[in-house]
Amino acid sequence: MGVSTLHHHFRALTAMSPLQYQKQLRLHAARESMLVEGLDAAGAAFEVGYESASQFNREYSRMFGQPPMRDIRTLRSPGGVQLGGE
């Protein structure tokens, strides 16, 4: 299968490009690491493969609507959204 065909089929199944899908997986993994393992944003960013903490913060905020540590505080607060309930 050619690269363009793969991208076409991938987008048809996921409604996003492979790169967008990978970014989403990395951000969700970082979020889980901060919640479960107690990592800070920089540690979680590094763990999932980001070299730039500022790039991670921008992409995280874009995806989840607020900066990483504020998001984690919100999730941990009483009545916060559970990971499985998103």
Side-chain angles (χ1 to χ4, degrees):
M1 179 182 300
V3 172
S4 63
T5 304
L6 172 66
H7 278 250
H8 177 77
H9 286 288
F10 194 92
R11 188 176 289 276
L13 290 172
T14 64
M16 61 185 79
S17 73
L19 187 60
Q20 290 167 322
Y21 185 78
Q22 178 191 33
K23 184 187 301 185
Q24 185 180 70
L25 288 177
R26 291 167 71 192
L27 290 169
H28 278 282
R31 191 183 207 192
E32 186 172 351
S33 292
M34 289 185 285
L35 276 170
V36 175
E37 299 171 25
L39 292 180
D40 64 2
F46 179 74
E47 184 177 86
V48 298
Y50 279 86
E51 293 180 14
S52 166
S54 61
Q55 180 69 25
F56 170 76
N57 286 335
R58 275 192 303 276
E59 292 179 3
Y60 190 102
S61 296
R62 192 174 300 127
M63 174 169 265
F64 298 114
Q66 54 188 346
M69 296 318 291
R70 188 182 314 154
D71 180 51
I72 297 307
R73 279 193 303 274
T74 300
L75 291 172
R76 287 184 176 152
S77 69
V81 177
Q82 299 300 313
L83 274 180
E86 295 176 335

